[in-house]
């Protein structure tokens, strides 16, 4: 399993939501932009730490779903999503 961090830069997000179809942890936030909700996944019981500020959403996960996160980032036409592995 990998420990990785997902970041959504809110100033770059246009609310196109291509990420939602690649990874169900991405959802539409109250502000109309993409955010991350580990509980939104209907299939996997997912644990993650999510910090949502005015500038960005940062979520850290320790599971084997980094490829889904990378697919969501690649689908974002505004490059608002970044995925990076975290070494402890």
């Amino acid at each position: 399993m990998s420990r990785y961090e997902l970041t959504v830069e809110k100033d770059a997000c246009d609310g196109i939501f291509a990420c939602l179809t690649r990874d169900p942890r991405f959802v539409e936030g109250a502000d109309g932009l993409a955010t991350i909700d580990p509980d939104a996944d209907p299939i996997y019981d997912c644990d993650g730490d999510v910090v949502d500020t005015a500038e960005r959403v940062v979520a850290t996960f320790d599971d084997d779903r980094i490829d889904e996160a990378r697919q969501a980032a690649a689908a974002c036409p505004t490059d608002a999503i970044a995925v990076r592995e975290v070494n402890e």
Side-chain angles (χ1 to χ4, degrees):
M1 284 196 266
S2 300
R3 183 166 176 81
Y4 57 97
E5 183 177 272
L6 301 174
T7 303
V8 179
E9 294 294 338
K10 291 186 178 181
D11 63 342
C13 180
D14 281 345
I16 296 167
F17 303 121
C19 55
L20 276 65
T21 63
R22 304 320 193 277
D23 187 333
R25 296 172 291 184
F26 286 89
V27 296
E28 181 177 355
D31 56 4
L33 302 175
T35 190
I36 301 165
D37 181 359
D39 296 326
D41 192 326
I43 298 172
Y44 295 100
D45 185 17
C46 190
D47 288 325
D49 297 317
V50 180
V51 177
D52 191 339
T53 68
E55 295 83 26
R56 69 188 51 85
V57 180
V58 180
T60 306
F61 293 96
D62 188 3
D63 59 32
D64 60 355
R65 299 179 63 201
I66 192 169
D67 287 337
E68 288 177 53
R70 287 180 175 145
Q71 290 173 14
C76 181
T78 62
D79 294 325
I81 302 169
V83 180
R84 71 178 187 92
E85 290 191 56
V86 178
N87 295 325
E88 294 187 88

